[in-house]
Amino acid sequence: MNWRRWGDVGLWAVLSFPVLAESGARQDPWWMQLACIGLLGAAVLLRRSRPLLSLALIAWAESVILAFSLGTTGGVPIALVFAIIVLSYLAGRRETQLKHFVMLCSWTLLGLLVLSMIVRPEVAKTEAVLTWLVMLLLALLLVVLPWLIGRYRAQQLLLTSAGWERAERIEREHRMAVAQERLRERSRIAQDMHDSVGHELSLIALRAAALEIDVNLSGEQREAAASLREAAASATERLGEIIGVLRDSEATTVPRDETVAALVERAAASGLEVVLTEEGSAELAPMVDRAVHRVVQESLTNASKHAPGGAVSVTVQYADEVTVTVVDTGAARPVPKQTASSGRGLDGLRERVRLVGGSLQAGPQAAGGFEVRAVMPRAGGRPEPEPAGDAGAATERDQVRRTARRGLVTAVVAPLVLGSVIGVVALGYYLVTGYSSILRPAAYDELTLGQAENDVRRALPAMEMIDPPSERITLPNGWACQYYRPAEPFSTNYVYRLCFAGGVLVDKAILQSGSVQPTPESPR
């Protein structure tokens, strides 16, 4: 048996002890004791998986006991009340839904009222209703308040656990940030390789291709140039496979200070037929300047690989926006089989242009060839703000704190408000019945013993007292007695008692209702 089961057994023993002690003192039947202990055992077992059902078992059992005990001389058993308090608190700790808890309390109290009127019809309805209102007030104190305290405690534990979870999440995010920084550094290195080494390998392949078709060289030399071209193309392909997709706006290019004009001149010196046209002039932001350089560099590299022998035109227009257009006429010689396009270069270009607030389109032309067109603002796009690292934690912490604070306010204010409302209703009900049960002294004096009950009732008020004084004498069998006030509530120290038997008035008396001897008013 694990510790949880031992805890269940201990709780069951603690809750069962008051039942055994009270039932033994009252000498209740054995079956009633076994039924209560069995229900407590079932409630303890269900308190984790079905907390409201656990509470309902004991609450309904106590309601049945109260219904049969009200108005009797044996008193009201209250041993299960302690179990109700504990189970209400535990139900709140399990964060049961408020609407389900309210429905359970409402149906239980309503069932208590109906059941008490059915099993005790001899008790006056006004007294039964007033007793039920008192039970309603006690339910707020003994059921609702423990549930709200348990709910608040659960919110406190949630706040604590949320803090630890947030700390663990921050630690995981820190490790992820370190790992991402390592990957970012690798991407920078790979980007440099792709932008610089890849471009240089393409130029080497271009020069080797020019030597391969040079008629002034011998056959062996041309074969060596062909082997060099194939090796350069193979190295370029393997380089592209190694570095992968690179999308970091902070990646550097080598050389950093190379202009577009210098880049085009270097490509032309390598044998590429390329023409540069620049329209206007403007000072560009550093990121935009690097992006323009990269667009031209990657476009020339692609043209040398996929359009050998073709002409390339580069146009850079400086206005409010910078427009870069690179167009080739297509391949004039067969494209080597080793040359394949992975699309990674264009993907990197699109990301780089996007990060400076621009856009890039690339695709084949209808008349042949390939066109790359990029449009970027001269000053670059506004960088997107990075989300604050603590914003999520602060929002989550504030939300949990607000929830816990609302739970505390509810735990304190809700019972006070509900208790006040029920107290006002009970007081109003008491005053209504008090003013409706007034039998004036003059009307009382006119009643005579032996008078027919129907005639007497015509002179009586609409309602009886709901709190008549207790009497130590035993009335004869068959007598049915009723009690009335001589004046408004709280203003007299005596009441009238009228007893009927056999359809006639058999007794009328004045009883003391306080510590002061009765001083009946004169008839009026």
Side-chain angles (χ1 to χ4, degrees):
M1 182 180 294
N2 54 27
W3 287 107
R4 174 175 291 188
R5 292 307 178 192
W6 278 115
D8 293 341
V9 172
L11 180 60
W12 176 56
V14 170
L15 297 180
S16 300
F17 177 76
V19 175
L20 294 176
E22 184 185 54
S23 298
R26 292 168 50 87
Q27 296 182 351
D28 291 332
W30 62 269
W31 59 265
M32 182 176 177
Q33 299 181 36
L34 289 179
C36 292
I37 294 176
L39 287 175
L40 286 174
V44 169
L45 291 177
L46 293 172
R47 65 188 177 90
R48 294 188 182 91
S49 59
R50 297 290 186 271
L52 286 183
L53 179 59
S54 172
L55 175 60
L57 289 177
I58 308 303
W60 293 341
E62 182 65 20
S63 299
V64 174
I65 294 174
L66 289 176
F68 282 91
S69 302
L70 292 177
T72 62
T73 59
V76 179
I78 59 172
L80 291 178
V81 173
F82 176 69
I84 292 176
I85 296 174
V86 173
L87 293 175
S88 297
Y89 172 79
L90 295 177
R93 283 290 304 272
R94 294 292 174 180
E95 295 188 348
T96 51
Q97 293 188 9
L98 177 60
K99 63 178 181 179
H100 295 160
F101 177 74
V102 172
M103 290 177 60
L104 170 62
C105 295
S106 301
W107 284 109
T108 302
L109 291 170
L110 183 60
L112 172 61
L113 177 61
V114 174
L115 188 60
S116 61
M117 290 184 176
I118 293 176
V119 301
R120 293 294 178 186
E122 68 276 8
V123 179
K125 299 300 186 290
T126 53
E127 182 179 356
V129 173
L130 184 62
T131 304
W132 180 78
L133 290 175
V134 174
M135 293 295 176
L136 189 56
L137 285 173
L138 291 176
L140 286 177
L141 180 64
L142 303 178
V143 181
V144 178
L145 183 58
W147 184 85
L148 291 174
I149 294 175
R151 188 68 175 268
Y152 174 65
R153 179 59 180 164
Q155 295 294 337
Q156 280 186 323
L157 295 177
L158 177 62
L159 179 61
T160 303
S161 62
W164 284 109
E165 290 175 1
R166 182 61 186 174
E168 294 174 357
R169 187 160 60 249
I170 290 175
E171 185 177 356
R172 291 194 301 268
E173 290 175 354
H174 176 70
R175 291 195 297 266
M176 293 175 60
V178 172
Q180 289 177 355
E181 186 61 29
R182 292 173 179 172
L183 292 176
R184 189 177 294 112
E185 188 62 27
R186 293 177 185 177
S187 296
R188 289 192 182 100
I189 297 172
Q191 185 71 42
D192 290 344
M193 294 174 61
H194 182 276
D195 294 348
S196 301
V197 179
H199 181 68
E200 296 299 332
L201 286 175
S202 298
L203 296 181
I204 292 174
L206 186 62
R207 288 189 177 96
L211 293 175
E212 185 182 2
I213 61 175
D214 192 350
V215 295
N216 296 323
L217 298 179
S218 63
E220 293 181 356
Q221 292 174 331
R222 287 197 295 271
E223 290 179 1
S227 299
L228 177 63
R229 176 184 57 75
E230 293 176 358
S234 178
T236 302
E237 180 65 23
R238 288 191 176 90
L239 177 65
E241 294 175 355
I242 293 172
I243 62 179
V245 179
L246 307 173
R247 296 184 178 182
D248 190 0
S249 61
E250 298 181 0
T252 58
T253 56
V254 180
R256 282 182 177 271
D257 55 352
E258 184 180 42
T259 63
V260 173
L263 175 64
V264 172
E265 289 178 2
R266 192 154 56 91
S270 301
L272 183 66
E273 185 180 347
V274 55
V275 177
L276 171 65
T277 303
E278 293 184 291
E279 300 178 1
S281 62
E283 184 177 356
L284 305 180
M287 291 181 63
V288 177
D289 183 67
R290 290 297 89 195
V292 171
H293 184 279
R294 277 289 298 117
V295 170
V296 176
Q297 183 183 53
E298 182 67 21
S299 300
L300 293 179
T301 300
N302 291 339
S304 64
K305 289 168 55 178
H306 305 290
V312 182
S313 64
V314 179
T315 304
V316 182
Q317 297 174 326
Y318 299 96
D320 294 338
E321 294 180 328
V322 182
T323 303
V324 182
T325 306
V326 181
V327 181
D328 64 69
T329 58
R333 299 192 302 270
V335 179
K337 295 182 180 181
Q338 294 86 355
T339 302
S341 176
S342 63
R344 295 177 185 143
L346 290 177
D347 289 339
L349 282 185
R350 288 192 179 91
E351 183 66 11
R352 185 182 290 270
V353 172
R354 185 189 67 82
L355 290 175
V356 297
S359 61
L360 182 139
Q361 292 85 32
Q365 299 185 98
F370 197 84
E371 179 183 20
V372 177
R373 179 181 176 85
V375 181
M376 295 163 280
R378 291 190 309 176
R382 179 177 299 178
E384 298 180 1
E386 296 183 359
D390 296 335
T395 301
E396 182 178 354
R397 183 175 62 251
D398 293 342
Q399 181 179 0
V400 176
R401 283 180 175 174
R402 285 194 299 269
T403 303
R405 193 179 301 116
R406 284 196 299 268
L408 176 61
V409 172
T410 304
V412 175
V413 175
L416 293 177
V417 173
L418 291 176
S420 300
V421 172
I422 296 174
V424 171
V425 172
L427 179 60
Y429 181 77
Y430 178 80
L431 292 176
V432 169
T433 55
Y435 279 93
S436 301
S437 61
I438 297 176
L439 178 62
R440 297 297 179 181
Y444 173 79
D445 293 339
E446 292 178 357
L447 301 177
T448 59
L449 298 178
Q451 189 176 356
E453 182 178 355
N454 292 334
D455 296 337
V456 173
R457 291 193 180 280
R458 294 190 184 97
L460 297 180
M463 304 180 70
E464 304 176 37
M465 286 183 62
I466 59 175
D467 55 342
S470 58
E471 300 183 73
R472 297 181 181 274
I473 62 173
T474 302
L475 297 175
N477 292 331
W479 281 26
C481 298
Q482 300 174 359
Y483 301 84
Y484 300 94
R485 302 178 186 276
E488 289 75 11
F490 314 113
S491 63
T492 61
N493 60 352
Y494 67 97
V495 299
Y496 296 138
R497 185 190 69 189
L498 303 177
C499 296
F500 300 91
V504 297
L505 178 65
V506 295
D507 183 65
K508 53 182 294 190
I510 299 176
L511 304 179
Q512 181 179 346
S513 62
S515 60
V516 181
Q517 292 294 326
T519 56
E521 303 175 14
S522 58
R524 61 177 185 269

